[in-house]
Amino acid sequence: MLSRILLVLFFCSVNFGANPFVEKLQGEFEKRLTVKTLENGLTVMIYEKHDAPIVSTSIGFKVGSVDEHAGNFGCAHMLEHMLFKGNRVYGTKDFEKESEITAQILKWAERFDEEQLREEPDPTALKLYKKRMDQLVKRLNQVVIKSPYNPIYSANGGKGLNAYTNTDNTVYIVDLPSNKLELWALLESMKFRQPILRSYFPERDVVMEERRMRTDSNPQGKLWEALMGASYMAHNYRNPIIGYMSELQTLRKDTLTTFFKDYYAPNNATMVLVGDVYPEPTLALIEKYFGSWKSSDRLERTHIREPEQNGERRVEINEKAQPYLYASYKMPRLNTPEGTALTILAEVLSGGKTSRFYQEIVVKRKLATAAWAYAGAAGQRYPGLFLVGGSPKHPHQPSELMDLISEVIDDLIKNGVDEEEIKRVQTRMKAEFIYSLESASPLTSLLLSNQMNLGDWKEIFWDFERILSLTPEALVEVARKYLKKEKRTVATLLTSKKES
């Protein structure tokens, strides 16, 4: 029924304006949504969608790499890995034996880390300590159960058990039959309230290998890290989500435990359930399993403000890889009129085959295989970045692509934006918006990110209303104000001479 209402409103709004469309859409949406904050600070959002006996769940914690500092870089992402290891009940065949072996591993690991921190580590000692650790890990693997939650969920119809960490949040997701909701409440409450951070040192090796694969051995990964480090001189968005290798190599388990106790608390969490659920019994279940969870008074946040950028910054990387370009401009938060305007500007520049970048750079000039723009990179809790970039086509270089991107932007500022360009983007975004409200997983993510990062789930509709009321003049104004050469940071990946 809601789908029919949305489609009628959609076609009416194309001709008669956006405000009635958004107002009625939000009204229909709120009839299905229940939001409650428990006494311990846990925010619970329940959206009823009874078209299938499935519920999509997300539990998000307002903690990411932006909340880290020297000494605990990488903790948010590391915890995402560790919280799938189980507890005293799930994840071990013999907890006492596991504890005994773990204590022995810790002894050798402390020696290993101490040696790594020396000015001139002894390779022979490191090899010996690592050998002892590896021998003990083999014994440990005989008594621990890898990924203990997966078979339980799978046996009960659960799908998509996963998690992710970004600069702002860490989020845990799973879809399951609605009649298994109490099982979900039990397992997730144990995951966050009674975890055992088992197999820590082997998992630390896994994370370091992940960093090698995604960043250290990945030219575009290196370029991205260089871009963030140059774009932000002070703010924590400059730090990589996975952490720095030199810190990961000696990241202590007790440091991770402290980070967990500080940030994994109900008053730092938001729980979203979308699907075949009813508010009253669902809230009773959540109260039963999460109501006694103690809140935290140690939710430290960064107060660093990024200083104004008064000149173009450039960073260059030479690798055996195809050339690539990133360029960033500082921008306000997404939940502002200017943030919304920059979001639509990015769509006008690179949203589809009718966009300016595609037509001018890819089709007409044939200078790149791809050119794009994106608003809201780095994060949402604090002011982020407006990005442009792309892949130059041989024999062209990133500098040529940057010049042409600048040319397209300058033309937009000089000659303006057509009303039809904005209408085309607005129409496409309306359709995408309706889809996101009718699809459980996208809606779960949308509710969670707006509530945690932007302060209110209603930002979903407030932002949409701003989108539909934008004028061509507003896009020109934000382009003129924010997309200035002296305010940008350019990161280029060049093919090394050996490769050429």
Side-chain angles (χ1 to χ4, degrees), residues 80-356:
E80 176 210 317
H81 281 241
M82 295 304 300
L83 289 177
F84 283 94
K85 300 294 184 182
N87 47 61
R88 293 178 69 102
V89 178
Y90 303 110
T92 185
K93 301 172 185 176
D94 187 332
F95 186 70
E96 290 186 6
K97 188 174 182 180
E98 176 196 347
S99 300
E100 178 187 330
I101 299 171
T102 298
Q104 295 178 52
I105 293 174
L106 179 61
K107 180 183 70 174
W108 289 104
E110 287 177 345
R111 295 182 184 181
F112 183 77
D113 288 352
E114 286 174 7
E115 191 64 39
Q116 286 193 102
L117 290 170
R118 293 182 186 277
E119 189 172 335
E120 295 184 7
D122 182 349
T124 303
L126 288 174
K127 186 176 180 179
L128 172 64
Y129 300 153
K130 189 66 169 67
K131 182 179 179 180
R132 293 287 188 268
M133 289 171 65
D134 290 343
Q135 290 171 340
L136 289 164
V137 167
K138 287 182 179 180
R139 291 177 55 198
L140 182 67
N141 289 339
Q142 295 175 358
V143 295
V144 300
I145 300 172
K146 186 178 180 181
S147 303
Y149 295 115
N150 292 58
I152 300 173
Y153 273 119
S154 295
N156 287 276
K159 294 181 179 180
L161 180 65
N162 211 339
Y164 61 86
T165 306
N166 55 36
T167 53
D168 292 328
N169 314 124
T170 308
V171 180
Y172 300 82
I173 59 178
V174 66
D175 297 343
L176 71 164
S178 52
N179 63 356
K180 299 295 182 179
L181 204 56
E182 184 158 13
L183 174 67
W184 166 84
L186 169 66
L187 294 179
E188 298 304 300
S189 65
M190 296 180 79
K191 181 187 292 182
F192 301 124
R193 298 184 62 186
Q194 306 164 12
I196 298 295
L197 307 183
R198 56 172 50 94
S199 301
Y200 174 75
F201 295 100
E203 197 63 33
R204 190 176 71 174
D205 289 341
V206 169
V207 171
M208 286 192 290
E209 183 57 34
E210 183 181 340
R211 183 188 159 85
R212 291 186 191 100
M213 179 181 68
R214 295 187 178 182
T215 303
D216 299 341
S217 300
N218 185 325
Q220 282 197 30
K222 285 184 180 180
L223 188 67
W224 177 261
E225 191 165 292
L227 174 73
M228 290 297 104
S231 297
Y232 290 100
M233 303 304 291
H235 194 269
N236 288 15
Y237 276 158
R238 74 190 313 271
N239 300 311
I241 295 167
I242 200 168
Y244 297 98
M245 183 62 84
S246 57
E247 182 117 63
L248 291 172
Q249 288 173 331
T250 56
L251 185 63
R252 294 174 59 88
K253 186 177 180 180
D254 55 6
T255 300
L256 193 71
T257 301
T258 299
F259 194 85
F260 170 79
K261 290 179 179 178
D262 288 349
Y263 290 102
Y264 274 72
N267 55 324
N268 198 42
T270 299
M271 185 179 291
V272 180
L273 299 93
V274 174
D276 187 29
V277 285
Y278 294 90
E280 188 174 343
T282 301
L283 286 170
L285 268 181
I286 292 170
E287 182 68 49
K288 174 182 176 181
Y289 287 97
F290 295 92
S292 60
W293 191 9
K294 293 184 179 179
S295 59
S296 171
D297 58 0
R298 299 188 298 272
L299 300 175
E300 294 185 12
R301 305 298 184 192
T302 181
H303 298 290
I304 297 174
R305 293 187 178 184
E306 181 66 18
E308 185 176 356
Q309 184 171 336
N310 294 312
E312 184 184 49
R313 300 171 188 160
R314 286 186 172 267
V315 61
E316 180 182 300
I317 289 179
N318 291 275
E319 289 282 342
K320 293 181 179 180
Q322 294 300 310
Y324 202 80
L325 168 74
Y326 284 126
S328 69
Y329 304 82
K330 304 293 194 311
M331 64 170 283
R333 295 180 70 197
L334 292 175
N335 60 340
T336 63
E338 289 184 319
T340 300
L342 285 162
T343 299
I344 299 304
L345 177 62
E347 288 295 314
V348 168
L349 290 173
S350 69
K353 292 187 176 182
T354 60
S355 67
R356 295 191 177 209

Side-chain angles (χ1 to χ4, degrees), residues 230 312-316 399 402-403 485 488-492:
E312 184 184 49
R313 300 171 188 160
R314 286 186 172 267
V315 61
E316 180 182 300
S399 59
M402 184 74 257
D403 289 343
K485 180 179 179 180
R488 78 186 180 196
T489 301
V490 180
T492 54

Side-chain angles (χ1 to χ4, degrees), residues 12-120:
C12 289
S13 69
V14 171
N15 296 318
F16 300 111
N19 289 344
F21 171 70
V22 178
E23 185 177 328
K24 291 180 181 180
L25 187 61
Q26 184 174 343
E28 291 294 327
F29 187 85
E30 290 193 37
K31 292 177 183 178
R32 295 185 178 193
L33 182 67
T34 300
V35 181
K36 182 178 180 180
T37 301
L38 305 189
E39 288 187 10
N40 59 10
L42 175 63
T43 299
V44 182
M45 310 179 75
I46 300 169
Y47 185 80
E48 296 181 69
K49 189 174 180 295
H50 301 293
D51 53 347
I54 300 294
V55 58
S56 179
T57 73
S58 287
I59 301 178
F61 292 86
K62 195 174 179 178
V63 59
S65 57
V66 74
D67 300 295
E68 300 168 350
H69 54 74
N72 67 12
F73 286 130
C75 274
H77 175 256
M78 185 70 184
L79 269 174
E80 176 210 317
H81 281 241
M82 295 304 300
L83 289 177
F84 283 94
K85 300 294 184 182
N87 47 61
R88 293 178 69 102
V89 178
Y90 303 110
T92 185
K93 301 172 185 176
D94 187 332
F95 186 70
E96 290 186 6
K97 188 174 182 180
E98 176 196 347
S99 300
E100 178 187 330
I101 299 171
T102 298
Q104 295 178 52
I105 293 174
L106 179 61
K107 180 183 70 174
W108 289 104
E110 287 177 345
R111 295 182 184 181
F112 183 77
D113 288 352
E114 286 174 7
E115 191 64 39
Q116 286 193 102
L117 290 170
R118 293 182 186 277
E119 189 172 335
E120 295 184 7

